[in-house]
Amino acid sequence: MLTMADTQQADEQAAGGPATATPAEKRAEKQAARLAKQIRAFASAHGGSAEGQLAHIGRGRTRIALVGANGEWGNLVADSYSAAQKAAEQAGLSLQDDFDGELAAKVRTGRYEWSRMAGIQLGGPANS
């Protein structure tokens, strides 16, 4: 049998009213806000805007790959796909389905990246 309080809470939730967030939901909200702030800072520092792509990387985590308007790139990691989506939405990040084609073509790599890629494949300096 439902008590008056149970009925009121169920009615509020059904009507979109106040609902109690679980600790996990509160953590996800905090993380999304923190990631959104980092995304906005990245975009601001790299040409004023950025595009991104979300990808599962294992154990429930999601990578947010970022490409700034100036071609600089970076990554952030969220504890869940939904937190990554919320962060992107809050930051106004334009998301692409894949990290290839137009998005990949915008990435500007420097001497460091080229030497690391060639060094790994052609017997260059070790990763250590």
Side-chain angles (χ1 to χ4, degrees), residues 80-92:
S80 68
Y81 194 85
S82 64
Q85 282 183 313
K86 286 179 186 175
E89 183 179 304
Q90 289 174 14

Side-chain angles (χ1 to χ4, degrees), residues 116 119-120 123-128:
R116 295 293 292 156
I120 290 169
N127 286 336
S128 55

Side-chain angles (χ1 to χ4, degrees), residues 92-103:
L93 183 66
S94 173
L95 290 175
Q96 304 299 321
D97 292 332
D98 297 305
F99 197 91
D100 60 4
E102 288 183 37
L103 186 59

Side-chain angles (χ1 to χ4, degrees), residues 3 7 16 52 105 115:
T3 66
T7 304
S115 69

Side-chain angles (χ1 to χ4, degrees), residues 4-23:
M4 181 69 145
D6 293 333
T7 304
Q8 182 179 2
Q9 183 179 7
D11 291 344
E12 286 176 348
Q13 287 176 356
T20 306
T22 67

Side-chain angles (χ1 to χ4, degrees), residues 8-86:
Q8 182 179 2
Q9 183 179 7
D11 291 344
E12 286 176 348
Q13 287 176 356
T20 306
T22 67
E25 290 169 337
K26 289 179 183 178
R27 269 193 314 277
E29 287 294 327
K30 278 184 164 181
Q31 183 183 46
R34 186 175 64 253
L35 288 168
K37 184 177 178 180
Q38 291 173 318
I39 292 168
R40 286 190 295 271
F42 176 88
S44 177
H46 297 289
S49 66
E51 294 181 62
Q53 189 261 339
L54 305 181
H56 292 283
I57 57 174
R59 296 193 182 238
R61 295 182 185 256
T62 300
R63 175 186 68 147
I64 306 169
L66 301 169
V67 179
N70 66 355
E72 293 290 322
W73 57 278
N75 291 301
L76 295 170
V77 176
D79 289 338
S80 68
Y81 194 85
S82 64
Q85 282 183 313
K86 286 179 186 175

